[in-house]
Amino acid sequence: MRFDIITLFPELFAPLLTSGITRRAYEGDLVDVRLWNPRDHAEGNYRRVDDRSFGGGPGMVMLAEPLSKCLTAIRADRKEASPAPLVLFSPIGQTLNHTAVAQWSHSAGAVLLCGRYEGVDQRFIDQYVDRQISLGDFVLSGGEIVAMALLDAVARLQPGVLNDEGSHQLDSFNPALDGLLDSPHYTRPEVWQGHAVPAALMSGHHAHIERWRREQSLRLTAVHRPELLVQARLTGKLNRDDEALLKDVQGEMSTPNHISGSKKL
């Protein structure tokens, strides 16, 4: 797959593409990333890419013309029979989640537009943008961080990128966990500062270990992300044992001395 990124700050992507385990995806061309600076397609001595907003107000707006020329160059370079979607990172976009990442990981890629300043001239958006994506209900100084988040999430799902081929299948929000949060993890030493690893994990009994992990997944989800339980229940992912545990957790949470997230796991 190929992602073409339109950004005024291509240098921001260097650490992402050369660091960590996901660099395997970029170095091995599993995820082909190409960076395009709209300033290279701007006119005049100053290569201007922004101007004041009509109607007044603070901040600057990205000009439509340099973006249009940059996009034309990308389309010519991709040589696609069917143009890849142009994605704008914007507060009004759909919030990025695991389902969307999984879909992108099986796609042919996209052109990613990283907005800056007060945003992009709406006429360019209306004419060229196919989808808009948000990272959450807050505003960033630019779309580069969102683009990196999408690239990293997609890269780690590619075959051969992670050391354990199936490790991502047990990530939080994954269908293998019924969309719930992952359970806690422990490693050596067995006792650290007086705190021991839960006995179930040391038992060597696979059924007990799996049940413990399921219970902790349910407990964490109930405390921190209860809305995920609603979806799991609607899709029939919760069995009688799950519901019995959740009833106990609900009782614990309703006690006067309960402090959210303080219960030892």
Side-chain angles (χ1 to χ4, degrees), residues 13 26-27 59 65 98 104 124 187 208 227 240 249 264:
F13 289 84
Y26 313 122
E27 293 174 353
E65 188 62 16
H98 176 79
W104 283 115
F124 178 85
T187 188
H208 289 174
E227 75 277 9
R240 291 183 180 180
V249 173
K264 292 183 179 180

Side-chain angles (χ1 to χ4, degrees), residues 53 77 159:
S53 176
D77 190 69

Side-chain angles (χ1 to χ4, degrees), residues 10 13 17-18 25 43 48 64 67 82-83 86 97 99 110 117 134 137 149 167-168 190 196 223 227 232 239 258:
F13 289 84
L17 302 177
T18 58
E43 298 179 352
R48 191 165 189 170
L67 292 175
S82 178
L86 174 60
N97 59 23
T99 300
Y117 315 123
S134 170
D137 293 340
S167 64
H168 66 78
E190 295 179 15
V223 172
E227 75 277 9
N239 59 36
H258 175 78

Side-chain angles (χ1 to χ4, degrees), residues 124-146:
F124 178 85
I125 297 174
D126 292 341
Q127 186 167 343
Y128 294 111
V129 171
D130 300 297
R131 294 179 62 177
Q132 298 193 51
I133 293 178
S134 170
L135 201 57
D137 293 340
F138 53 92
V139 177
L140 295 164
S141 57
E144 286 80 8
I145 291 176
V146 194

